[in-house]
mmCIF file of all heavy atoms in Angstrom:
data_model
loop_
_atom_site.group_PDB
_atom_site.id
_atom_site.type_symbol
_atom_site.label_atom_id
_atom_site.label_comp_id
_atom_site.label_asym_id
_atom_site.label_seq_id
_atom_site.Cartn_x
_atom_site.Cartn_y
_atom_site.Cartn_z
ATOM 1 N N PHE A 477 -70.504 4.479 60.440
ATOM 2 C CA PHE A 477 -69.793 5.649 60.956
ATOM 3 C C PHE A 477 -69.253 5.368 62.357
ATOM 4 O O PHE A 477 -70.002 4.953 63.242
ATOM 5 C CB PHE A 477 -70.745 6.850 60.993
ATOM 6 C CG PHE A 477 -70.098 8.112 61.484
ATOM 7 C CD1 PHE A 477 -69.290 8.856 60.651
ATOM 8 C CD2 PHE A 477 -70.306 8.547 62.788
ATOM 9 C CE1 PHE A 477 -68.694 10.021 61.101
ATOM 10 C CE2 PHE A 477 -69.711 9.710 63.251
ATOM 11 C CZ PHE A 477 -68.906 10.442 62.399
ATOM 12 N N SER A 478 -67.964 5.589 62.559
ATOM 13 C CA SER A 478 -67.314 5.335 63.852
ATOM 14 C C SER A 478 -66.375 6.468 64.218
ATOM 15 O O SER A 478 -65.229 6.239 64.593
ATOM 16 C CB SER A 478 -66.542 4.012 63.811
ATOM 17 O OG SER A 478 -67.410 2.937 63.656
ATOM 18 N N ASN A 479 -66.849 7.683 64.086
ATOM 19 C CA ASN A 479 -66.052 8.849 64.456
ATOM 20 C C ASN A 479 -66.880 9.650 65.445
ATOM 21 O O ASN A 479 -67.962 9.230 65.854
ATOM 22 C CB ASN A 479 -65.698 9.661 63.197
ATOM 23 C CG ASN A 479 -64.398 10.420 63.326
ATOM 24 O OD1 ASN A 479 -64.094 10.951 64.384
ATOM 25 N ND2 ASN A 479 -63.645 10.491 62.249
ATOM 26 N N THR A 480 -66.411 10.825 65.812
ATOM 27 C CA THR A 480 -67.097 11.621 66.825
ATOM 28 C C THR A 480 -68.276 12.393 66.235
ATOM 29 O O THR A 480 -68.334 12.654 65.035
ATOM 30 C CB THR A 480 -66.132 12.633 67.459
ATOM 31 O OG1 THR A 480 -65.730 13.574 66.450
ATOM 32 C CG2 THR A 480 -64.909 11.946 68.051
ATOM 33 N N GLU A 481 -69.189 12.763 67.098
ATOM 34 C CA GLU A 481 -70.322 13.586 66.676
ATOM 35 C C GLU A 481 -69.814 14.949 66.183
ATOM 36 O O GLU A 481 -70.370 15.513 65.234
ATOM 37 C CB GLU A 481 -71.312 13.768 67.833
ATOM 38 C CG GLU A 481 -72.622 14.372 67.424
ATOM 39 C CD GLU A 481 -73.452 13.498 66.474
ATOM 40 O OE1 GLU A 481 -73.222 12.281 66.366
ATOM 41 O OE2 GLU A 481 -74.352 14.055 65.825
ATOM 42 N N GLU A 482 -68.759 15.447 66.800
ATOM 43 C CA GLU A 482 -68.159 16.713 66.366
ATOM 44 C C GLU A 482 -67.684 16.614 64.912
ATOM 45 O O GLU A 482 -67.910 17.517 64.110
ATOM 46 C CB GLU A 482 -66.992 17.080 67.290
ATOM 47 C CG GLU A 482 -66.312 18.371 66.933
ATOM 48 C CD GLU A 482 -65.151 18.695 67.868
ATOM 49 O OE1 GLU A 482 -64.573 17.777 68.472
ATOM 50 O OE2 GLU A 482 -64.817 19.883 67.971
ATOM 51 N N TYR A 483 -67.044 15.493 64.584
ATOM 52 C CA TYR A 483 -66.610 15.288 63.202
ATOM 53 C C TYR A 483 -67.822 15.237 62.273
ATOM 54 O O TYR A 483 -67.838 15.860 61.213
ATOM 55 C CB TYR A 483 -65.790 13.992 63.080
ATOM 56 C CG TYR A 483 -65.342 13.727 61.667
ATOM 57 C CD1 TYR A 483 -64.179 14.300 61.175
ATOM 58 C CD2 TYR A 483 -66.100 12.939 60.803
ATOM 59 C CE1 TYR A 483 -63.770 14.097 59.873
ATOM 60 C CE2 TYR A 483 -65.707 12.728 59.492
ATOM 61 C CZ TYR A 483 -64.545 13.302 59.038
ATOM 62 O OH TYR A 483 -64.162 13.097 57.736
ATOM 63 N N TRP A 484 -68.841 14.490 62.674
ATOM 64 C CA TRP A 484 -70.063 14.356 61.879
ATOM 65 C C TRP A 484 -70.663 15.722 61.556
ATOM 66 O O TRP A 484 -71.023 16.007 60.425
ATOM 67 C CB TRP A 484 -71.062 13.498 62.653
ATOM 68 C CG TRP A 484 -72.355 13.314 61.960
ATOM 69 C CD1 TRP A 484 -73.531 13.949 62.245
ATOM 70 C CD2 TRP A 484 -72.624 12.457 60.873
ATOM 71 N NE1 TRP A 484 -74.498 13.531 61.390
ATOM 72 C CE2 TRP A 484 -73.978 12.610 60.527
ATOM 73 C CE3 TRP A 484 -71.848 11.568 60.141
ATOM 74 C CZ2 TRP A 484 -74.572 11.911 59.502
ATOM 75 C CZ3 TRP A 484 -72.444 10.870 59.119
ATOM 76 C CH2 TRP A 484 -73.784 11.051 58.805
ATOM 77 N N LEU A 485 -70.756 16.565 62.572
ATOM 78 C CA LEU A 485 -71.358 17.882 62.387
ATOM 79 C C LEU A 485 -70.468 18.834 61.590
ATOM 80 O O LEU A 485 -70.955 19.828 61.055
ATOM 81 C CB LEU A 485 -71.723 18.481 63.744
ATOM 82 C CG LEU A 485 -72.821 17.722 64.500
ATOM 83 C CD1 LEU A 485 -72.992 18.286 65.909
ATOM 84 C CD2 LEU A 485 -74.125 17.711 63.728
ATOM 85 N N SER A 486 -69.175 18.522 61.499
ATOM 86 C CA SER A 486 -68.264 19.368 60.719
ATOM 87 C C SER A 486 -68.428 19.153 59.216
ATOM 88 O O SER A 486 -67.967 19.965 58.412
ATOM 89 C CB SER A 486 -66.809 19.117 61.127
ATOM 90 O OG SER A 486 -66.352 17.876 60.612
ATOM 91 N N ILE A 487 -69.084 18.071 58.816
ATOM 92 C CA ILE A 487 -69.327 17.796 57.396
ATOM 93 C C ILE A 487 -70.443 18.735 56.928
ATOM 94 O O ILE A 487 -71.499 18.798 57.564
ATOM 95 C CB ILE A 487 -69.743 16.327 57.184
ATOM 96 C CG1 ILE A 487 -68.658 15.389 57.691
ATOM 97 C CG2 ILE A 487 -70.040 16.067 55.708
ATOM 98 C CD1 ILE A 487 -69.081 13.925 57.762
ATOM 99 N N PRO A 488 -70.233 19.477 55.856
ATOM 100 C CA PRO A 488 -71.289 20.377 55.378
ATOM 101 C C PRO A 488 -72.611 19.624 55.194
ATOM 102 O O PRO A 488 -72.641 18.525 54.635
ATOM 103 C CB PRO A 488 -70.752 20.891 54.042
ATOM 104 C CG PRO A 488 -69.259 20.752 54.166
ATOM 105 C CD PRO A 488 -69.036 19.529 55.017
ATOM 106 N N GLU A 489 -73.675 20.223 55.684
ATOM 107 C CA GLU A 489 -74.971 19.549 55.712
ATOM 108 C C GLU A 489 -75.440 19.077 54.339
ATOM 109 O O GLU A 489 -76.011 17.999 54.205
ATOM 110 C CB GLU A 489 -76.024 20.455 56.339
ATOM 111 C CG GLU A 489 -77.297 19.744 56.681
ATOM 112 C CD GLU A 489 -78.238 20.580 57.514
ATOM 113 O OE1 GLU A 489 -77.852 21.665 57.981
ATOM 114 O OE2 GLU A 489 -79.378 20.134 57.671
ATOM 115 N N HIS A 490 -75.132 19.834 53.290
ATOM 116 C CA HIS A 490 -75.606 19.453 51.956
ATOM 117 C C HIS A 490 -74.935 18.192 51.414
ATOM 118 O O HIS A 490 -75.432 17.591 50.462
ATOM 119 C CB HIS A 490 -75.472 20.617 50.974
ATOM 120 C CG HIS A 490 -74.063 20.948 50.603
ATOM 121 N ND1 HIS A 490 -73.207 21.656 51.441
ATOM 122 C CD2 HIS A 490 -73.352 20.670 49.490
ATOM 123 C CE1 HIS A 490 -72.034 21.782 50.850
ATOM 124 N NE2 HIS A 490 -72.098 21.199 49.667
ATOM 125 N N ILE A 491 -73.812 17.780 51.998
ATOM 126 C CA ILE A 491 -73.169 16.528 51.580
ATOM 127 C C ILE A 491 -73.007 15.555 52.745
ATOM 128 O O ILE A 491 -72.355 14.523 52.593
ATOM 129 C CB ILE A 491 -71.804 16.767 50.896
ATOM 130 C CG1 ILE A 491 -70.814 17.390 51.863
ATOM 131 C CG2 ILE A 491 -71.943 17.550 49.619
ATOM 132 C CD1 ILE A 491 -69.378 17.290 51.401
ATOM 133 N N ARG A 492 -73.581 15.871 53.901
ATOM 134 C CA ARG A 492 -73.451 14.997 55.073
ATOM 135 C C ARG A 492 -74.112 13.652 54.769
ATOM 136 O O ARG A 492 -75.287 13.573 54.481
ATOM 137 C CB ARG A 492 -74.103 15.645 56.291
ATOM 138 C CG ARG A 492 -73.753 14.940 57.583
ATOM 139 C CD ARG A 492 -74.307 15.680 58.778
ATOM 140 N NE ARG A 492 -73.718 17.010 58.872
ATOM 141 C CZ ARG A 492 -74.339 18.048 59.424
ATOM 142 N NH1 ARG A 492 -75.555 17.924 59.920
ATOM 143 N NH2 ARG A 492 -73.740 19.218 59.473
ATOM 144 N N PRO A 493 -73.335 12.568 54.838
ATOM 145 C CA PRO A 493 -73.868 11.253 54.478
ATOM 146 C C PRO A 493 -74.626 10.594 55.631
ATOM 147 O O PRO A 493 -74.544 11.022 56.774
ATOM 148 C CB PRO A 493 -72.603 10.456 54.145
ATOM 149 C CG PRO A 493 -71.566 11.069 55.025
ATOM 150 C CD PRO A 493 -71.907 12.538 55.112
ATOM 151 N N ARG A 494 -75.330 9.543 55.298
ATOM 152 C CA ARG A 494 -75.962 8.708 56.319
ATOM 153 C C ARG A 494 -74.864 8.002 57.117
ATOM 154 O O ARG A 494 -73.792 7.720 56.596
ATOM 155 C CB ARG A 494 -76.852 7.651 55.667
ATOM 156 C CG ARG A 494 -77.979 8.189 54.835
ATOM 157 C CD ARG A 494 -78.787 7.057 54.168
ATOM 158 N NE ARG A 494 -78.002 5.879 53.804
ATOM 159 C CZ ARG A 494 -77.297 5.747 52.673
ATOM 160 N NH1 ARG A 494 -77.263 6.741 51.794
ATOM 161 N NH2 ARG A 494 -76.630 4.652 52.411
ATOM 162 N N LYS A 495 -75.158 7.661 58.352
ATOM 163 C CA LYS A 495 -74.190 6.965 59.196
ATOM 164 C C LYS A 495 -74.213 5.455 58.995
ATOM 165 O O LYS A 495 -73.282 4.765 59.395
ATOM 166 C CB LYS A 495 -74.456 7.268 60.677
ATOM 167 C CG LYS A 495 -74.153 8.693 61.067
ATOM 168 C CD LYS A 495 -74.388 8.877 62.555
ATOM 169 C CE LYS A 495 -74.057 10.286 63.014
ATOM 170 N NZ LYS A 495 -74.253 10.463 64.454
ATOM 171 N N ASP A 496 -75.267 4.931 58.387
ATOM 172 C CA ASP A 496 -75.455 3.484 58.290
ATOM 173 C C ASP A 496 -74.872 2.889 57.011
ATOM 174 O O ASP A 496 -75.496 2.057 56.352
ATOM 175 C CB ASP A 496 -76.938 3.141 58.394
ATOM 176 C CG ASP A 496 -77.741 3.674 57.209
ATOM 177 O OD1 ASP A 496 -77.249 4.573 56.490
ATOM 178 O OD2 ASP A 496 -78.863 3.182 56.997
ATOM 179 N N GLN A 497 -73.669 3.274 56.681
ATOM 180 C CA GLN A 497 -72.988 2.769 55.493
ATOM 181 C C GLN A 497 -71.509 2.640 55.815
ATOM 182 O O GLN A 497 -71.035 3.204 56.799
ATOM 183 C CB GLN A 497 -73.189 3.733 54.320
ATOM 184 C CG GLN A 497 -72.575 5.103 54.554
ATOM 185 C CD GLN A 497 -72.828 6.048 53.407
ATOM 186 O OE1 GLN A 497 -72.527 5.732 52.278
ATOM 187 N NE2 GLN A 497 -73.398 7.215 53.703
ATOM 188 N N PRO A 498 -70.753 1.908 55.013
ATOM 189 C CA PRO A 498 -69.317 1.817 55.259
ATOM 190 C C PRO A 498 -68.632 3.190 55.163
ATOM 191 O O PRO A 498 -69.014 4.035 54.343
ATOM 192 C CB PRO A 498 -68.826 0.885 54.145
ATOM 193 C CG PRO A 498 -70.024 0.054 53.812
ATOM 194 C CD PRO A 498 -71.180 1.009 53.945
ATOM 195 N N PHE A 499 -67.655 3.390 56.022
ATOM 196 C CA PHE A 499 -66.795 4.581 56.006
ATOM 197 C C PHE A 499 -65.360 4.105 55.855
ATOM 198 O O PHE A 499 -64.953 3.107 56.463
ATOM 199 C CB PHE A 499 -66.958 5.395 57.296
ATOM 200 C CG PHE A 499 -68.121 6.337 57.249
ATOM 201 C CD1 PHE A 499 -69.420 5.865 57.346
ATOM 202 C CD2 PHE A 499 -67.920 7.702 57.106
ATOM 203 C CE1 PHE A 499 -70.507 6.726 57.296
ATOM 204 C CE2 PHE A 499 -68.994 8.578 57.056
ATOM 205 C CZ PHE A 499 -70.287 8.089 57.149
ATOM 206 N N TYR A 500 -64.612 4.822 55.040
ATOM 207 C CA TYR A 500 -63.272 4.400 54.647
ATOM 208 C C TYR A 500 -62.208 5.363 55.170
ATOM 209 O O TYR A 500 -62.375 6.577 55.121
ATOM 210 C CB TYR A 500 -63.186 4.348 53.116
ATOM 211 C CG TYR A 500 -64.147 3.361 52.515
ATOM 212 C CD1 TYR A 500 -65.474 3.702 52.284
ATOM 213 C CD2 TYR A 500 -63.740 2.078 52.183
ATOM 214 C CE1 TYR A 500 -66.370 2.787 51.737
ATOM 215 C CE2 TYR A 500 -64.624 1.153 51.635
ATOM 216 C CZ TYR A 500 -65.941 1.525 51.419
ATOM 217 O OH TYR A 500 -66.812 0.619 50.881
ATOM 218 N N HIS A 501 -61.117 4.777 55.657
ATOM 219 C CA HIS A 501 -59.938 5.533 56.068
ATOM 220 C C HIS A 501 -59.004 5.562 54.860
ATOM 221 O O HIS A 501 -58.646 4.505 54.332
ATOM 222 C CB HIS A 501 -59.235 4.848 57.237
ATOM 223 C CG HIS A 501 -60.097 4.702 58.456
ATOM 224 N ND1 HIS A 501 -60.024 5.573 59.515
ATOM 225 C CD2 HIS A 501 -61.047 3.786 58.778
ATOM 226 C CE1 HIS A 501 -60.886 5.194 60.448
ATOM 227 N NE2 HIS A 501 -61.527 4.112 60.020
ATOM 228 N N LEU A 502 -58.630 6.764 54.443
ATOM 229 C CA LEU A 502 -57.794 6.917 53.253
ATOM 230 C C LEU A 502 -56.488 7.618 53.569
ATOM 231 O O LEU A 502 -56.470 8.580 54.355
ATOM 232 C CB LEU A 502 -58.493 7.789 52.205
ATOM 233 C CG LEU A 502 -59.905 7.465 51.760
ATOM 234 C CD1 LEU A 502 -60.386 8.529 50.795
ATOM 235 C CD2 LEU A 502 -59.962 6.109 51.128
ATOM 236 N N LEU A 503 -55.416 7.188 52.937
ATOM 237 C CA LEU A 503 -54.203 7.997 52.840
ATOM 238 C C LEU A 503 -54.477 8.872 51.629
ATOM 239 O O LEU A 503 -54.456 8.403 50.487
ATOM 240 C CB LEU A 503 -52.969 7.120 52.619
ATOM 241 C CG LEU A 503 -52.611 6.167 53.755
ATOM 242 C CD1 LEU A 503 -51.382 5.340 53.377
ATOM 243 C CD2 LEU A 503 -52.386 6.914 55.054
ATOM 244 N N ALA A 504 -54.824 10.109 51.891
ATOM 245 C CA ALA A 504 -55.344 10.987 50.846
ATOM 246 C C ALA A 504 -54.330 12.035 50.416
ATOM 247 O O ALA A 504 -53.392 12.350 51.146
ATOM 248 C CB ALA A 504 -56.618 11.667 51.346
ATOM 249 N N GLU A 505 -54.582 12.592 49.228
ATOM 250 C CA GLU A 505 -53.741 13.667 48.713
ATOM 251 C C GLU A 505 -54.572 14.568 47.803
ATOM 252 O O GLU A 505 -55.538 14.137 47.181
ATOM 253 C CB GLU A 505 -52.558 13.110 47.931
ATOM 254 C CG GLU A 505 -52.956 12.382 46.658
ATOM 255 C CD GLU A 505 -51.781 11.809 45.891
ATOM 256 O OE1 GLU A 505 -50.640 11.911 46.366
ATOM 257 O OE2 GLU A 505 -52.020 11.254 44.809
ATOM 258 N N ASN A 506 -54.171 15.838 47.804
ATOM 259 C CA ASN A 506 -54.704 16.784 46.829
ATOM 260 C C ASN A 506 -53.511 17.513 46.241
ATOM 261 O O ASN A 506 -52.367 17.105 46.450
ATOM 262 C CB ASN A 506 -55.748 17.729 47.458
ATOM 263 C CG ASN A 506 -55.185 18.568 48.582
ATOM 264 O OD1 ASN A 506 -53.988 18.860 48.636
ATOM 265 N ND2 ASN A 506 -56.039 18.966 49.504
ATOM 266 N N ASP A 507 -53.731 18.592 45.536
ATOM 267 C CA ASP A 507 -52.618 19.308 44.906
ATOM 268 C C ASP A 507 -51.680 19.957 45.913
ATOM 269 O O ASP A 507 -50.538 20.270 45.577
ATOM 270 C CB ASP A 507 -53.147 20.385 43.950
ATOM 271 C CG ASP A 507 -53.784 19.787 42.706
ATOM 272 O OD1 ASP A 507 -53.493 18.608 42.388
ATOM 273 O OD2 ASP A 507 -54.571 20.493 42.056
ATOM 274 N N ASP A 508 -52.150 20.155 47.159
ATOM 275 C CA ASP A 508 -51.366 20.888 48.144
ATOM 276 C C ASP A 508 -50.756 20.042 49.255
ATOM 277 O O ASP A 508 -49.745 20.425 49.836
ATOM 278 C CB ASP A 508 -52.233 21.972 48.800
ATOM 279 C CG ASP A 508 -52.764 22.970 47.793
ATOM 280 O OD1 ASP A 508 -52.009 23.353 46.881
ATOM 281 O OD2 ASP A 508 -53.944 23.343 47.917
ATOM 282 N N SER A 509 -51.369 18.919 49.601
ATOM 283 C CA SER A 509 -50.878 18.183 50.768
ATOM 284 C C SER A 509 -51.322 16.725 50.767
ATOM 285 O O SER A 509 -52.137 16.300 49.954
ATOM 286 C CB SER A 509 -51.377 18.859 52.052
ATOM 287 O OG SER A 509 -52.784 18.787 52.132
ATOM 288 N N SER A 510 -50.767 15.999 51.731
ATOM 289 C CA SER A 510 -51.151 14.616 52.005
ATOM 290 C C SER A 510 -51.712 14.572 53.411
ATOM 291 O O SER A 510 -51.211 15.263 54.302
ATOM 292 C CB SER A 510 -49.932 13.696 51.920
ATOM 293 O OG SER A 510 -49.403 13.701 50.627
ATOM 294 N N TYR A 511 -52.711 13.739 53.640
ATOM 295 C CA TYR A 511 -53.373 13.679 54.935
ATOM 296 C C TYR A 511 -54.176 12.394 55.029
ATOM 297 O O TYR A 511 -54.257 11.617 54.064
ATOM 298 C CB TYR A 511 -54.284 14.899 55.135
ATOM 299 C CG TYR A 511 -55.232 15.152 53.988
ATOM 300 C CD1 TYR A 511 -56.530 14.672 54.005
ATOM 301 C CD2 TYR A 511 -54.810 15.858 52.847
ATOM 302 C CE1 TYR A 511 -57.395 14.891 52.939
ATOM 303 C CE2 TYR A 511 -55.672 16.081 51.783
ATOM 304 C CZ TYR A 511 -56.959 15.590 51.833
ATOM 305 O OH TYR A 511 -57.801 15.803 50.783
ATOM 306 N N VAL A 512 -54.779 12.143 56.180
ATOM 307 C CA VAL A 512 -55.666 11.006 56.366
ATOM 308 C C VAL A 512 -57.095 11.531 56.305
ATOM 309 O O VAL A 512 -57.425 12.536 56.926
ATOM 310 C CB VAL A 512 -55.400 10.300 57.710
ATOM 311 C CG1 VAL A 512 -56.431 9.210 57.969
ATOM 312 C CG2 VAL A 512 -53.996 9.710 57.720
ATOM 313 N N ALA A 513 -57.941 10.864 55.528
ATOM 314 C CA ALA A 513 -59.340 11.267 55.377
ATOM 315 C C ALA A 513 -60.248 10.121 55.822
ATOM 316 O O ALA A 513 -59.864 8.953 55.773
ATOM 317 C CB ALA A 513 -59.627 11.634 53.921
ATOM 318 N N TYR A 514 -61.450 10.485 56.237
ATOM 319 C CA TYR A 514 -62.478 9.525 56.654
ATOM 320 C C TYR A 514 -63.720 9.839 55.832
ATOM 321 O O TYR A 514 -64.321 10.897 56.002
ATOM 322 C CB TYR A 514 -62.740 9.691 58.151
ATOM 323 C CG TYR A 514 -63.606 8.633 58.778
ATOM 324 C CD1 TYR A 514 -63.192 7.302 58.825
ATOM 325 C CD2 TYR A 514 -64.820 8.967 59.360
ATOM 326 C CE1 TYR A 514 -63.974 6.335 59.427
ATOM 327 C CE2 TYR A 514 -65.608 8.009 59.970
ATOM 328 C CZ TYR A 514 -65.176 6.691 60.006
ATOM 329 O OH TYR A 514 -65.956 5.731 60.617
ATOM 330 N N VAL A 515 -64.083 8.941 54.906
ATOM 331 C CA VAL A 515 -65.086 9.274 53.897
ATOM 332 C C VAL A 515 -66.138 8.163 53.787
ATOM 333 O O VAL A 515 -65.810 6.972 53.784
ATOM 334 C CB VAL A 515 -64.416 9.481 52.513
ATOM 335 C CG1 VAL A 515 -65.429 9.941 51.476
ATOM 336 C CG2 VAL A 515 -63.265 10.470 52.603
ATOM 337 N N SER A 516 -67.392 8.581 53.640
ATOM 338 C CA SER A 516 -68.487 7.631 53.460
ATOM 339 C C SER A 516 -68.426 7.000 52.079
ATOM 340 O O SER A 516 -67.907 7.579 51.126
ATOM 341 C CB SER A 516 -69.824 8.352 53.620
ATOM 342 O OG SER A 516 -69.999 9.273 52.560
ATOM 343 N N GLU A 517 -69.004 5.817 51.990
ATOM 344 C CA GLU A 517 -69.036 5.122 50.701
ATOM 345 C C GLU A 517 -69.743 5.939 49.622
ATOM 346 O O GLU A 517 -69.298 5.990 48.483
ATOM 347 C CB GLU A 517 -69.728 3.769 50.888
ATOM 348 C CG GLU A 517 -69.669 2.901 49.662
ATOM 349 C CD GLU A 517 -70.117 1.489 49.960
ATOM 350 O OE1 GLU A 517 -69.269 0.694 50.407
ATOM 351 O OE2 GLU A 517 -71.306 1.195 49.751
#
Side-chain angles (χ1 to χ4, degrees):
F477 181 78
S478 295
N479 209 321
T480 65
E481 191 65 18
E482 180 180 25
Y483 179 85
W484 179 257
L485 294 173
S486 74
I487 301 169
E489 193 170 351
H490 71 283
I491 64 164
R492 192 175 298 152
R494 299 178 327 276
K495 291 182 178 181
D496 66 342
Q497 63 182 306
F499 276 74
Y500 299 83
H501 300 261
L502 308 176
L503 295 179
E505 66 181 3
N506 61 27
D507 290 340
D508 300 320
S509 64
S510 297
Y511 51 95
V512 174
Y514 189 64
V515 185
S516 67
E517 187 169 275

